[in-house]
Amino acid sequence: MKFRVLLLLLTSVLTGCINRPATQTPTDSQPQVTPVQTYRTPSEDLLQKLLKATNAARAVARKCGNDFHQAAPPVVLNIRLIAAAQDHAEDMATHDFFDHHGSDRSDVVVRALRYNYNYRMVGENIAAGYPDVQATVDGWLTSPGHCRNLMNPEFREIGFGFTRKSGTEYGSYWVQVLGVQRSRVL
């Protein structure tokens, strides 16, 4: 368990938990948008448990590393962010790796765009090897970068991905994608 937490913290330091405003353009060409009917999602029960644990964490003021964060408003589920998160969880399990970049070198921005999420800002938290929802959320809260994403009051929507695969290094892969959409101009 200590190894997994250390790895989670090291990953946070090395990757910065990708939290980009929309003014930054992905390095790849525009990704092909995935049709809605092909979206894969975790069970509704698991999504609700993850949402409840995340919103409970956001409801409490806390320190993330050296930064103090006031309690943040609750987030709501977004099907496009769920699909982007599930896509990355399955990719990590299928190819047996743990990284913010996918096996195709995509990042959270590219994955959000693949699922037609019209973002202003998007961020991602990943975890591996944790046995359940609460342990995963607690792990994110102990990592300053992941905690900052989770507590960012600008994020309004969220998606989760989860998959379990035996024979992989970690066995379980968790992804949390947070976002806020661009305002629509009428």
Side-chain angles (χ1 to χ4, degrees), residues 29-109:
S29 61
Q30 287 290 59
Q32 187 171 0
V33 174
T34 303
V36 172
Q37 57 271 29
T38 64
Y39 290 5
R40 297 176 313 274
T41 66
S43 72
E44 183 64 28
D45 181 56
L46 182 60
L47 288 172
Q48 290 303 319
K49 287 178 182 176
L50 284 159
L51 181 63
K52 183 178 179 181
T54 298
N55 280 332
R58 287 173 62 89
V60 177
R62 67 182 71 247
K63 280 189 80 170
C64 297
N66 294 324
D67 301 330
F68 180 78
H69 291 265
Q70 295 290 337
V75 289
V76 297
L77 291 171
N78 178 285
I79 188 65
R80 296 175 194 291
L81 294 179
I82 294 168
Q86 185 65 25
D87 181 49
H88 191 48
E90 290 177 8
D91 184 35
M92 288 190 293
T94 299
H95 296 98
D96 197 9
F97 72 95
F98 179 67
D99 197 311
H100 284 281
H101 287 94
S103 63
D104 62 357
R105 303 308 305 150
S106 64
D107 63 17
V108 68
V109 169

Side-chain angles (χ1 to χ4, degrees), residues 74-154:
V75 289
V76 297
L77 291 171
N78 178 285
I79 188 65
R80 296 175 194 291
L81 294 179
I82 294 168
Q86 185 65 25
D87 181 49
H88 191 48
E90 290 177 8
D91 184 35
M92 288 190 293
T94 299
H95 296 98
D96 197 9
F97 72 95
F98 179 67
D99 197 311
H100 284 281
H101 287 94
S103 63
D104 62 357
R105 303 308 305 150
S106 64
D107 63 17
V108 68
V109 169
V110 170
R111 291 187 293 272
L113 290 171
R114 276 186 194 148
Y115 291 97
N116 204 25
Y117 186 75
N118 186 25
Y119 72 92
R120 181 173 59 84
M121 187 171 69
V122 65
E124 176 180 77
N125 289 337
I126 62 174
Y130 287 98
D132 58 41
V133 168
Q134 196 58 57
T136 303
V137 173
D138 290 346
W140 284 329
L141 292 172
T142 63
S143 163
H146 293 96
C147 182
R148 279 190 289 274
N149 271 350
L150 196 146
M151 294 301 294
N152 187 330
E154 291 186 54

